[in-house]
Amino acid sequence: MTTTTTTPAVTAVPTRGREGPRPRGRAALFILPAAALLLVFFFYPIATIVWRSFTEPHAGLGNYTALLHDGVSVKVLVRTLVTALIVAVSTLLIAYPYAYAMTKVGARARGVLTVIVLLPFWTSLMARNFAWYMLEQRGGPIERFLGAIGFDGVVLLGTVAGVALAMVQVMLPFMVLPLYSGMEGIDRRLLDAAGSLGAPRWRAFARVYVPLSVPGMLSGFSLVFIMTLGFYITPALLGSPQQSLISQVIGDRVSRLLDFGGAGALGSVLLTVTLLVLFAVSRFAGSSRALGKAVGND
Amino acid sequence: MTEPPRDRIKGGKEGGLGWGLRTAVALTGLLLIAPTVVVIPMSFSGADTFEFPPKTWSLRWYRSFFGSEKWMYALLTSLQIGLLVAVVATVLGVAVALGLTRSRFRGLGTVRALLMAPMIMPGIVVAVAIYGVFIRWQLNGTAVGFVVAHTVLALPFVVTAVSTSLSGYDRTMDVAAATLGATAWTTFFRITVPLVAPGVLSGFAFAFVTSLDEVVVALFLQTPDIQTLPVQMYNSITLEIDPTIAAASSLMVVVTTLVLLVPQLVRRERRTR
């Protein structure tokens, strides 16, 4: 009690942090226990699975050449990449107006919109996927709604479209939040300036506002793309084995066949794609941060 | 802070949202809340199927949930694992956050990125990799195996939550306490702990929920003897078509929301005081 009441007085001291006692190297030792845990139970297992892709059942690139020639893996990989691309594009198109609206409404409405967009974060993963299962099933609300507006017999359960819909919903926060924080820093007077120079409102928006929101778009887009590649539960429950995505194939190879070599090869491909996108993003994020500093919105 | 003048310049011309934008926001909002909203009425269904909306209402799936040894055992398993994970991950995570914010050494950025890696790695790769070594180490289907694997996944969330509260920590306060004659221990318990507590609490909550909700790794580590609640839920859709999952889903939604809300409320309480 006493400590909490003294806090405001103490925080009122104007000096900023980082100026206190000189950081001691000893504090770095605090990282060791967690680092050891991750090393043994995270990095070692991942290194092992990659290693096994080159050694089981035979040493060499056998698992990788098999992926190219089995006639399924390449198709699955392409389907996964296309699905992730479609999900990322759809999420961007849906999130853009929402994030834009968040910058234009009052504080109270913005609070409500923020809570709503964070809802998928909070909702239990299994509960969420179960809900989509109910909504998308044969005879479910989505089929009946589509039937009522003239599209008969469209059942989303068991299709890539059904999987994509559920992915878009859960990925929306990862798109809306970066978009919003980017848009918040855009000076709206630039639009008025464009207007006073004779540009119609839509053109001022397309030529001035949209380009300024590109950094937010890119960070949201890449995040959604990467995370979508790795989805397992959603395609397993809502998709079909005939149109499986890469993570389902990895899971099946291990749980049905105990084929760690083959699963490891596919997993390594997935890891490589993820890391490549991350690398590209970090290169870009560096330059966009510099851009933000130049514009004065850091 | 720059908002009011901008609004004035903007004038009434662009004040509100147009009907097109309003419609788009409303539809997006509907998409965002639909699954959460659907789960609760479904759990009060009287039917034997996943039919929605339910035609009859009852509490039978809640009775089935709380009356079933299998579901209760899964719930208990999940709660136990979740609490252990929350404790272990919080202790390790607080240490990491202190280490990261209070030391400077070459490669600090790399260490930070590596510690965050479990958050961004594809879940299935992590699951299969851990399963692969756990078979050899005979940790499959053991409580220790679950706790260790979930702690790895929960750690980044604790580190993020605690680092955020530490980065706003003004270390001149430690000096102030020392000049007033406080020992290092007194400073730690009277200054550091109260200031960092909200961050630690939300880290604890995140770790608990991460473990409680985790399915992919748990699906691979499960054995008939040890199954977590999400695994039982998964099996009840894929293997059994058992509507008890509707009651389980509603409970999960309510519990995770409450657990994640508590740190927020504590924080607000402190701020208003």
Side-chain angles (χ1 to χ4, degrees):
Chain A
M1 278 305 145
T2 45
T3 42
T4 38
T5 43
T6 56
T7 340
V10 184
T11 34
V13 174
T15 2
R16 301 273 299 155
R18 298 263 94 198
E19 302 280 309
R22 206 149 42 88
R24 289 162 299 180
R26 225 174 352 143
L29 295 178
F30 289 168
I31 302 173
L32 284 183
L37 183 88
L38 286 194
L39 204 64
V40 177
F41 294 103
F42 183 75
F43 291 108
Y44 175 75
I46 287 183
T48 307
I49 195 90
V50 174
W51 173 250
R52 289 173 86 171
S53 75
F54 293 108
T55 54
E56 285 182 20
H58 310 291
L61 293 172
N63 286 314
Y64 291 88
T65 48
L67 290 187
L68 288 175
H69 299 299
D70 66 4
V72 185
S73 301
V74 174
K75 227 182 269 175
V76 167
L77 180 63
V78 170
R79 187 186 296 130
T80 307
L81 291 170
V82 170
T83 306
L85 203 63
I86 291 173
V87 169
V89 170
S90 318
T91 312
L92 177 60
L93 292 177
I94 295 172
Y96 201 91
Y98 193 92
Y100 180 68
M102 277 174 71
T103 64
K104 292 198 66 177
V105 296
R108 185 172 292 244
R110 189 179 307 136
V112 173
L113 290 179
T114 311
V115 170
I116 291 177
V117 82
L118 286 176
L119 209 59
F121 258 153
W122 287 31
T123 309
S124 149
L125 188 147
M126 275 312 301
R128 196 162 24 78
N129 281 298
F130 168 60
W132 282 115
Y133 188 94
M134 278 185 321
L135 291 169
E136 292 183 356
Q137 68 186 327
R138 186 170 295 279
I142 293 181
E143 190 197 350
R144 273 180 283 140
F145 172 76
L146 290 175
I149 60 168
F151 298 94
D152 278 324
V154 183
V155 180
L156 289 180
L157 191 65
T159 66
V160 174
V163 175
L165 176 63
M167 286 174 167
V168 167
Q169 189 254 353
V170 71
M171 283 294 110
L172 273 169
F174 296 93
M175 188 66 90
V176 168
L177 297 178
L179 273 179
Y180 168 71
S181 68
M183 286 175 177
E184 209 188 19
I186 297 176
D187 191 342
R188 298 192 58 86
R189 283 173 297 186
L190 290 171
L191 287 178
D192 299 323
S196 71
L197 294 171
R201 269 174 62 187
W202 64 267
R203 177 181 273 181
F205 187 81
R207 300 287 289 273
V208 177
Y209 196 88
V210 174
L212 285 172
S213 63
V214 163
M217 284 197 227
L218 274 175
S219 65
F221 191 90
S222 50
L223 199 58
V224 171
F225 183 79
I226 292 175
M227 297 185 81
T228 307
L229 287 178
F231 269 53
Y232 177 70
I233 298 296
T234 305
L237 283 179
L238 306 177
S240 86
Q242 282 77 45
Q243 290 182 303
S244 49
L245 301 182
I246 193 165
S247 53
Q248 284 164 275
V249 178
I250 297 174
D252 274 0
R253 290 222 174 168
V254 167
S255 59
R256 297 222 178 116
L257 311 169
L258 281 179
D259 172 16
F260 280 97
L266 273 170
S268 304
V269 172
L270 181 55
L271 269 184
T272 310
V273 175
T274 306
L275 292 177
L276 279 178
V277 177
L278 272 179
F279 179 70
V281 174
S282 72
R283 295 295 300 265
F284 178 80
S287 59
S288 82
R289 213 172 294 141
L291 192 78
K293 223 168 254 166
V295 187
N297 290 325
D298 194 25
Chain B
M1 267 182 208
T2 48
E3 278 306 308
R6 271 187 208 169
D7 280 353
R8 220 175 298 135
I9 289 163
K10 206 163 46 188
K13 202 173 76 182
E14 286 193 314
L17 306 180
W19 64 267
L21 194 52
R22 273 170 194 274
T23 316
V25 170
L27 287 175
T28 309
L30 188 69
L31 173 66
L32 285 163
I33 63 176
T36 313
V37 169
V38 149
V39 157
I40 310 249
M42 183 64 200
S43 65
F44 295 105
S45 166
D48 283 323
T49 57
F50 291 150
E51 168 194 43
F52 189 88
K55 291 200 180 70
T56 53
W57 304 95
S58 76
L59 286 174
R60 59 188 288 203
W61 301 118
Y62 285 94
R63 275 198 296 274
S64 157
F65 181 80
F66 288 107
S68 150
E69 206 173 303
K70 200 171 53 176
W71 282 97
M72 279 297 102
Y73 183 67
L75 174 67
L76 200 66
T77 308
S78 271
L79 291 177
Q80 286 171 338
I81 292 173
L83 279 176
L84 282 170
V85 168
V87 171
V88 178
T90 304
V91 170
L92 293 175
V94 168
V96 168
L98 280 171
L100 287 178
T101 47
R102 302 209 163 169
S103 61
R104 267 178 238 170
F105 55 90
R106 196 178 292 213
L108 183 71
T110 313
V111 170
R112 189 193 301 267
L114 287 176
L115 287 165
M116 291 296 149
M119 222 147 125
I120 201 78
M121 288 285 172
I124 185 68
V125 177
V126 178
V128 167
I130 291 181
Y131 179 61
V133 296
F134 274 19
I135 293 179
R136 293 179 182 175
W137 296 343
Q138 298 183 341
L139 283 172
N140 248 20
T142 65
V144 175
F146 275 98
V147 171
V148 166
H150 282 178
T151 302
V152 165
L153 297 176
L155 205 53
F157 292 99
V158 182
V159 173
T160 310
V162 182
S163 297
T164 312
S165 67
L166 275 177
S167 65
Y169 182 106
D170 189 343
R171 298 216 55 200
T172 46
M173 281 187 269
D174 292 356
V175 182
T179 55
L180 294 172
T183 63
W185 280 108
T186 316
T187 311
F188 184 75
F189 283 110
R190 301 289 293 271
I191 311 273
T192 311
V193 171
L195 281 177
V196 175
V200 175
L201 188 63
S202 61
F204 187 90
F206 269 121
F208 179 72
V209 168
T210 303
S211 168
L212 192 69
D213 202 33
E214 203 285 330
V215 211
V216 187
V217 173
L219 270 176
F220 283 89
L221 297 189
Q222 66 161 331
T223 57
D225 290 333
I226 184 163
Q227 283 182 344
T228 60
L229 187 58
V231 169
Q232 174 60 30
M233 290 165 82
Y234 184 88
N235 292 341
S236 78
I237 300 182
T238 51
L239 307 176
E240 303 156 16
I241 317 249
D242 171 9
T244 310
I245 187 190
S249 294
S250 296
L251 291 170
M252 280 288 261
V253 167
V254 172
V255 169
T256 50
T257 306
L258 286 180
V259 170
L260 292 175
L261 267 181
V262 167
Q264 305 291 329
L265 294 177
V266 169
R267 198 168 295 180
R268 187 162 301 170
E269 172 89 348
R270 284 173 152 238
R271 215 172 280 153
T272 51
R273 220 186 287 161

